[in-house]
Amino acid sequence: MEAVIKIELNTRQELILQIVKDNGPITGEQIAERLSLTRATLRPDLAILTMAGYLDARPRVGYFYTGKSGSRLLTERLTKLTVQQYQSIPVVVTDSSSVYDAICTMFLEDVGTLFVVDQESSLVGVLSRKDLLRASIGKQMLETIPVSIIMTRMPNVTICYKEDLIIDVAKKLIEKQIDALPVVKNENGTKFEVVGRITKTNITKAIVDLANDELV
């Protein structure tokens, strides 16, 4: 993920935008002439406006206004973000682990969701805080109850891939009312290897980065 300069348009950049809106396509020299400045002086401003997506440029034609508002540019950037840019390291337990061990793992790793794998490291289920809390109510011996009894089993687990768009994953989290999805790799069409996790926190970070102009 590449970083960009945080963009806050100054008065001169706003004037450049208005000139291009009214007269585009227009060359850099013509813009400079209208502002009584040199082309070299305007070069950084034109570069910023072009990089931000407000202007586009064509050789031997000049600059023209893209017609995109700040909100539209933000939307376009959001719809290009993929899971692999923001996924976290997954926290997994085996299906033979006890509920007690799962609770300890969740607490120590400070996560709200655990992904359950079998002896071949294939995804077989998911454990949420609610699952573990439900199992803890009563007088059961948590050390003797395997997580396979209380977990949500495949194929009822919602998954995603690293190539998926963040916006699509966010829709899944809202629709299913869950906190996280396993990011998986499909090896043979039937078994899934867990390679990451994407959570509400990851998606919140993506939104904050967009607001701070910290990504392309």
Side-chain angles (χ1 to χ4, degrees), residues 139-154:
K139 299 181 180 180
Q140 298 95 327
M141 295 294 293
L142 301 183
E143 294 88 347
T144 63
I145 302 174
V147 295
S148 57
I149 293 179
I150 67 168
M151 69 184 185
T152 299
R153 291 178 172 274
M154 293 290 285

Side-chain angles (χ1 to χ4, degrees), residues 66-135:
T66 63
K68 297 175 182 178
S69 65
S71 60
R72 182 177 172 186
L73 290 169
L74 187 65
T75 299
E76 288 186 356
R77 292 163 77 185
L78 177 60
T79 54
K80 292 177 182 177
L81 297 183
T82 60
V83 167
Q84 63 185 337
Q85 293 174 269
Y86 282 93
Q87 69 183 48
S88 302
I89 297 172
V91 180
V92 302
V93 294
T94 63
D95 53 1
S96 60
S97 300
S98 69
V99 171
Y100 177 82
D101 289 337
I103 292 173
C104 292
T105 299
M106 184 173 284
F107 176 77
L108 292 173
E109 297 292 341
D110 192 22
V111 294
T113 305
L114 298 175
F115 305 122
V116 185
V117 299
D118 60 18
Q119 299 304 314
E120 298 177 351
S121 298
S122 297
L123 179 67
V124 293
V126 169
L127 282 171
S128 67
R129 279 187 291 244
K130 191 178 295 185
D131 294 326
L132 295 176
L133 178 60
R134 189 182 300 114

Side-chain angles (χ1 to χ4, degrees), residues 7-213:
I7 299 168
E8 295 181 5
L9 300 186
N10 58 35
T11 302
R12 187 162 70 195
Q13 290 162 359
E14 295 283 2
L15 286 173
I16 293 171
L17 275 183
Q18 192 60 53
I19 289 172
V20 178
K21 283 182 187 179
D22 296 339
N23 304 279
I26 183 171
T27 66
E29 289 76 9
Q30 291 170 329
I31 298 172
E33 183 179 348
R34 288 173 180 268
L35 293 174
S36 300
L37 297 170
T38 65
R39 174 71 173 84
T41 301
L42 287 187
R43 189 172 290 116
D45 295 312
L46 291 170
I48 288 173
L49 292 171
T50 302
M51 178 182 65
Y54 291 102
L55 299 181
D56 204 348
R58 294 177 183 170
R60 297 185 295 278
V61 175
Y63 293 91
F64 61 92
Y65 182 60
T66 63
K68 297 175 182 178
S69 65
S71 60
R72 182 177 172 186
L73 290 169
L74 187 65
T75 299
E76 288 186 356
R77 292 163 77 185
L78 177 60
T79 54
K80 292 177 182 177
L81 297 183
T82 60
V83 167
Q84 63 185 337
Q85 293 174 269
Y86 282 93
Q87 69 183 48
S88 302
I89 297 172
V91 180
V92 302
V93 294
T94 63
D95 53 1
S96 60
S97 300
S98 69
V99 171
Y100 177 82
D101 289 337
I103 292 173
C104 292
T105 299
M106 184 173 284
F107 176 77
L108 292 173
E109 297 292 341
D110 192 22
V111 294
T113 305
L114 298 175
F115 305 122
V116 185
V117 299
D118 60 18
Q119 299 304 314
E120 298 177 351
S121 298
S122 297
L123 179 67
V124 293
V126 169
L127 282 171
S128 67
R129 279 187 291 244
K130 191 178 295 185
D131 294 326
L132 295 176
L133 178 60
R134 189 182 300 114
S136 301
I137 297 175
K139 299 181 180 180
Q140 298 95 327
M141 295 294 293
L142 301 183
E143 294 88 347
T144 63
I145 302 174
V147 295
S148 57
I149 293 179
I150 67 168
M151 69 184 185
T152 299
R153 291 178 172 274
M154 293 290 285
N156 298 318
V157 175
T158 304
I159 60 175
C160 67
Y161 300 90
K162 65 179 183 179
E163 299 85 5
D164 289 347
L165 297 176
I166 285 286
I167 188 67
D168 292 333
V169 171
K171 291 176 182 176
K172 287 183 179 181
L173 292 176
I174 294 170
E175 178 186 349
K176 301 292 184 179
Q177 297 184 2
I178 52 181
D179 295 330
L181 293 184
V183 184
V184 301
K185 181 167 61 174
N186 192 345
E187 292 293 347
N188 57 15
T190 58
K191 294 183 179 295
F192 299 93
E193 177 188 352
V194 182
V195 296
R197 79 177 190 273
I198 192 80
T199 69
K200 291 179 178 178
T201 300
N202 298 132
I203 293 173
T204 301
K205 183 179 186 307
I207 294 171
V208 171
D209 284 351
L210 278 173
N212 292 334
D213 279 321

